[in-house]
Amino acid sequence: MKHYHTEKRLGRFIEVDGRQLLHFSGTSYLGMGALPEFRKLVSEGAEIFGPCHGSSRHSNVRLGIYDRFEQYFAKQAAAEKALVFSSGYMAGSAAVQTIAPTADLIMAAPDSHPAILPIGYRHDPLGDFSSWADQVIHECHIRKNAHILLLANAVNPLIPEVHDFHWIDKLSRSNRYTLVIDDSHAFGVIGNAAFGSYSKWQHLPVDLLIAGSMAKALALPGGILLGNHFLLGKIEQHVIFRSSSPPAPGPLHAFLEGQDLYLKQHVHLKENIKYIYEKIKNSLGFRMHPDYPVISFLNERWVDALEKKGIILSSFSYPSPDAPSVNRLVLSAHHRKEDLDYLLVNLEKVVSQDGESNTPPSQKFT
């Protein structure tokens, strides 16, 4: 696995050792950081509110931008309330540390991010989500009058896989359920545009909490929780929220003032996903979800072959340092059609040149 170091802003291209390489890695799904208009709004916000705000949200002197951001995000996400944190990890930890002590049983999906796992909780990170859902249904039907905490990601961005939670309707009604979903890789990509999957799952028979980082598609250095007034009111009193500083105010200002930019980028991302998916959906050796901007593959030889063609992708060992590499091409709204066509041409070349591939050499991405 190679590491690439650059001193410049990431976008369509990165410069490494004097070479300009097409960038198909990272988590900037909407490509917001590549937009001069968005960066201008961030600077504008920093000028108005300062570069950071180091006080507790419970301080007697408060910046109104945080309340405005939370109220707007909650309304658009169809949630009663929102809380912002300085990171997605902190948001998830605050939620779980508040709720877990009241749960009689905790069940976490295999790909759950560590941010939403209780300290010391052990599970199989490589397990199958559907099998886990079946296990939850079975376990919940042999219990009564229990509070059961369910933890899961909205998507597994490594496979990739977009999770369906309709199976929760099959749970026994003799228990009470809290469902925490990590939307870090959903905000801006799936669900309600920039606002994630809360509106999609709010009618499930559970107390729903959405947690997540906003630093990926939304390009906001912070985290957020979405839920009802009761649950978020409890979390608001937790020491993690009360004693921590909020995220920098400038990017939140940019989000509120730049909704037209987010919408434009969301539309462009969907177009890019559809264009690539239609080309490779029947291709052996690749895996892609029709609504998600990630192409995964197992053949590690293709990583170096693509790098020689000037294409950088995401490749690292997961979940442990000695595990096989997870290889992914990540699409972004900042990619142009010529970038996607160049990618497709070179995917076809590396596949056809790999004599050990199971993919027919004559296969075309059409």
Side-chain angles (χ1 to χ4, degrees):
M1 176 180 60
K2 293 182 180 179
H3 293 89
Y4 301 91
H5 299 274
T6 180
E7 301 297 329
K8 296 184 179 180
R9 180 178 63 248
L10 302 180
R12 290 174 59 220
F13 297 94
I14 62 172
E15 291 186 12
V16 178
D17 299 328
R19 295 177 65 200
Q20 192 175 60
L21 306 169
L22 261 176
H23 184 220
F24 283 93
S25 183
T27 58
S28 182
Y29 305 117
L30 293 180
M32 298 304 297
L35 296 181
E37 309 97 304
F38 181 75
R39 298 197 301 272
K40 182 178 179 180
L41 287 174
V42 173
S43 298
E44 179 182 278
E47 184 65 27
I48 296 171
F49 301 105
C52 67
H53 184 65
S55 297
S56 165
R57 290 288 303 283
H58 287 271
S59 171
N60 61 316
V61 178
R62 308 178 183 183
L63 285 180
I65 183 69
Y66 297 109
D67 289 332
R68 290 198 300 276
F69 180 88
E70 288 170 342
Q71 291 164 10
Y72 179 79
F73 205 108
K75 181 178 180 180
Q76 297 301 315
E80 291 182 4
K81 185 176 176 65
L83 292 176
V84 293
F85 293 76
S86 57
S87 74
Y89 206 108
M90 187 176 290
S93 295
V96 172
Q97 288 188 34
T98 301
I99 300 166
T102 71
D104 301 299
L105 175 66
I106 300 173
M107 301 187 75
D111 61 345
S112 298
H113 193 278
I116 59 170
L117 294 180
I119 297 173
Y121 186 91
R122 296 185 179 277
H123 72 316
D124 177 12
L126 298 179
D128 176 70
F129 185 87
S130 296
S131 298
W132 172 77
D134 291 339
Q135 180 187 358
V136 172
I137 294 170
H138 172 76
E139 189 69 31
C140 292
H141 275 280
I142 61 177
R143 292 176 179 263
K144 290 185 177 180
N145 302 317
H147 175 206
I148 299 175
L149 174 59
L150 305 176
L151 309 169
N153 284 3
V155 301
N156 182 338
L158 302 180
I159 294 179
E161 182 178 45
V162 178
H163 295 320
D164 189 327
F165 292 92
H166 285 108
W167 55 269
I168 285 179
D169 284 322
K170 300 178 182 179
L171 299 182
S172 169
R173 296 298 197 271
S174 63
N175 301 303
R176 178 168 67 90
Y177 304 97
T178 301
L179 172 63
V180 179
I181 300 177
D182 190 315
D183 255 16
S184 297
H185 292 271
F187 290 131
V189 183
I190 65 170
N192 181 15
F195 304 96
S197 64
Y198 190 94
S199 61
K200 184 174 183 178
W201 305 122
Q202 65 176 326
H203 301 298
L204 292 174
V206 298
D207 288 324
L208 177 64
L209 267 177
I210 294 291
S213 168
M214 300 184 293
K216 304 182 190 309
L218 304 187
L220 307 178
I224 195 165
L225 288 177
L226 298 166
N228 61 45
H229 287 296
F230 177 74
L231 281 178
L232 264 63
K234 291 179 64 176
I235 297 169
E236 195 171 18
Q237 299 307 316
H238 193 279
V239 64
I240 291 179
F241 185 82
R242 290 187 62 88
S243 65
S244 62
S245 301
L252 304 189
H253 168 83
F255 180 86
L256 294 177
E257 298 298 321
Q259 280 299 299
D260 57 331
L261 300 176
Y262 278 96
L263 180 59
K264 180 186 72 173
Q265 294 298 96
H266 181 74
V267 170
H268 194 188
L269 177 63
K270 290 298 184 183
E271 291 172 347
N272 285 351
I273 294 171
K274 182 179 180 181
Y275 183 74
I276 289 289
Y277 181 76
E278 290 299 319
K279 299 287 185 180
I280 72 165
K281 62 182 179 182
N282 297 319
S283 303
L284 299 178
F286 298 102
R287 178 166 178 172
M288 185 178 182
H289 188 281
D291 295 318
Y292 204 71
V294 169
I295 308 163
S296 65
F297 58 88
L298 297 176
N299 195 326
E300 293 188 29
R301 289 186 296 273
W302 295 351
V303 177
D304 289 335
L306 288 169
E307 193 270 341
K308 291 176 182 177
K309 302 290 186 181
I311 295 171
I312 293 296
L313 54 89
S314 173
S315 180
F316 58 92
S317 298
Y318 185 88
S320 62
D322 57 350
S325 292
V326 176
N327 310 308
R328 300 177 304 146
L329 290 149
V330 182
L331 307 180
S332 172
H334 61 226
H335 288 127
R336 301 174 182 175
K337 184 176 181 295
E338 57 262 36
D339 303 334
L340 305 182
D341 286 336
Y342 184 80
L343 173 64
L344 289 169
V345 166
N346 285 286
L347 286 179
E348 185 179 320
K349 286 181 179 178
V350 299
V351 168
S352 64
Q353 291 169 2
D354 187 349
E356 297 183 29
S357 171
N358 292 323
T359 308
S362 61
Q363 180 175 306
K364 302 292 184 182
F365 298 141
T366 58

